[in-house]
């Protein structure tokens, strides 16, 4: 049994396709915007982590310099004790390695 199409059925199909096309375009734009936002956030996070890492490295470098300076001052203040400690450490290592 054949059914007759109404004269408006063609325009309804056309408007449905247009709505689908618009929804598709809107979804594409939203996906693009989201991807751009994620790229921006990732870049900002990476820059922040680089800055924190740089700060941590600089603090570690400064701390190592301070420890070395304190050790040097201690050796200068007590040279005989320093030589004795170095001798004892060398002797102990030699005994352990034998």
């Amino acid at each position: 049994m054949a059914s007759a199409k109404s004269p408006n059925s063609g325009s309804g199909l056309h408007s449905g396709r247009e709505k689908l096309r618009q929804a598709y375009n809107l979804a594409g734009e939203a996906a693009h915007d989201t991807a751009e936002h994620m790229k921006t956030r990732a870049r900002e996070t990476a820059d922040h982590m680089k800055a924190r890492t740089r700060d941590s490295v600089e603090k570690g470098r400064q701390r190592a310099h301070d420890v070395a300076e304190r050790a040097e001052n201690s050796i200068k203040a007590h040279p005989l004790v320093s030589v004795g400690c170095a001798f004892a450490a060398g002797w102990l290592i030699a005994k352990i390695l034998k």
Side-chain angles (χ1 to χ4, degrees):
M1 178 183 226
S3 64
K5 291 185 180 180
S6 67
N8 276 341
S9 67
S11 66
L13 182 61
H14 178 67
S15 69
R17 284 185 184 169
E18 185 60 33
K19 286 180 182 179
L20 276 174
R21 186 176 295 124
Q22 288 175 352
Y24 177 77
N25 288 335
L26 286 174
E29 289 174 12
H32 178 73
D33 291 346
T34 301
E36 288 299 318
H37 179 70
M38 294 301 289
K39 285 180 189 177
T40 302
R41 292 280 311 267
R43 193 174 303 117
E44 289 171 356
T45 301
D47 291 344
H48 178 70
M49 293 305 293
K50 284 179 187 176
R52 285 183 61 187
T53 302
R54 248 184 255 119
D55 290 344
S56 295
V57 167
E58 185 58 38
K59 286 178 184 177
R61 188 175 290 141
Q62 183 62 41
R63 200 172 299 143
H65 180 344
D66 292 344
V67 168
E69 191 174 308
R70 281 189 296 184
E72 185 178 332
N73 290 337
S74 178
I75 290 169
K76 285 180 182 177
H78 309 288
L80 291 177
V81 172
S82 299
V83 170
C85 286
F87 176 79
W91 179 81
L92 184 62
I93 291 173
K95 288 294 182 183
I96 291 173
L97 293 178
K98 278 187 177 182

